[in-house]
Amino acid sequence: MTTIGLIGSGHIGGTVARLAVDAGLDVVLSNSRGPETLADLVAELGPRARAATAADAAVAGDIVVVTVPFKNYRQVPVEPLAGKVVIDTNNYAPARDGNIPELDAGEATSSELLQRHLPTSKVVKAFNNILFSHLAALARPAGSDDRSALPIAGDDPEAKAAVGHLLDALGYDTVDAGPLRESWRSEVDTPVYGTPYAAGAPFWEHDPAPAPIETIRTALAAAKR
C-alpha cells in the first residue's frame, strides 16, 4: 500500500489525507468541484499529494476513501473501484440526505447501500464516528499508552485486515464491529459516536481525549436500534 485515493476532500477526507502523508503515503484527492479547487490543500500537504478527478483518484488508490454526503453516494464511480477496498466514512442524515425508507426502517445500513452501488468493490466502514479535529489530534504511534481505537465494519475479512493496517499506520488501533449490517452501531447518536474521543459532552465542544480499545468495544456493544 503506497497510495490513498480520496473521493471527497472535506473535513474528514482532508484529515485522513494529512495523516496519510505524515505516515509516508501518497494521496490523490478529489471533490465534486474539480481538481483546481484543491490547489491550496495540495500545496499544504506537499509533494506526496496531488489532485485529480474522482475517477482518477479511484484508479490511483490502493485503498480509496469515499467521504461525501450520503445523498451523493450514487455518484461514486463504479468501474474504477472494481476489486478495490473502499472505506466508507459516511453517515445517514435525513435532514441533509432526505428520507430513505430502507434506512428509516432499519432494513439496511448506509454502508450496505454503498456496497450495493459498488458490487465489485469491498466496502469497509471507518472514520465515520469521530470528529475530524479529534481524528487529527489523537493519532499516536503503535504501542503508545494513550492510543485510541476506531471501529470498522465490513463483509470481507481481507478488506478489513487491509483497513486495519492502514489505521495502524495512521496512528489508531482497530475494533471489529462485525459485518456491514452491524455498521449502524457506529453511526450518529450511538454510544461510540463522538463522545468517547472527547473530554466532555457535547463532544464537539470539548478537547480530544484518548479512547482505547476496551472503551470502543464497550460502546459498540451498548448500541441500541
Side-chain angles (χ1 to χ4, degrees), residues 92-113:
Y92 171 50
R96 176 197 63 198
D97 302 321
N99 288 94
I100 299 174
E102 283 180 285
L103 301 185
D104 293 339
E107 296 170 353
T109 64
S110 58
S111 290
E112 286 180 301
L113 294 189

Side-chain angles (χ1 to χ4, degrees), residues 84-218:
K84 297 205 174 191
V85 176
V86 174
I87 297 179
D88 172 27
T89 80
N90 304 318
N91 289 303
Y92 171 50
R96 176 197 63 198
D97 302 321
N99 288 94
I100 299 174
E102 283 180 285
L103 301 185
D104 293 339
E107 296 170 353
T109 64
S110 58
S111 290
E112 286 180 301
L113 294 189
L114 181 63
Q115 180 66 83
R116 292 176 196 174
H117 174 68
L118 301 172
T120 57
S121 303
K122 302 168 185 177
V123 173
V124 177
K125 189 84 160 186
F127 298 121
N128 67 298
N129 72 310
I130 184 171
L131 187 66
F132 73 95
S133 57
H134 293 171
L135 178 65
L138 290 173
R140 300 287 187 276
S144 299
D145 291 339
D146 60 346
R147 204 179 206 213
S148 295
L150 295 171
I152 65 171
D155 295 338
D156 186 283
E158 291 184 359
K160 286 199 283 190
V163 173
H165 287 309
L166 174 61
L167 264 59
D168 183 53
L170 301 189
Y172 285 88
D173 292 328
T174 300
V175 175
D176 190 340
L180 291 179
R181 68 174 179 270
E182 294 294 318
S183 60
W184 62 269
R185 291 182 176 276
S186 68
E187 292 192 336
V188 179
D189 294 331
T190 62
V192 82
Y193 185 80
T195 300
Y197 306 99
F203 63 85
W204 58 86
E205 293 183 358
H206 289 269
D207 290 336
I213 288 173
E214 284 306 317
T215 296
I216 299 307
R217 186 174 288 133
T218 298

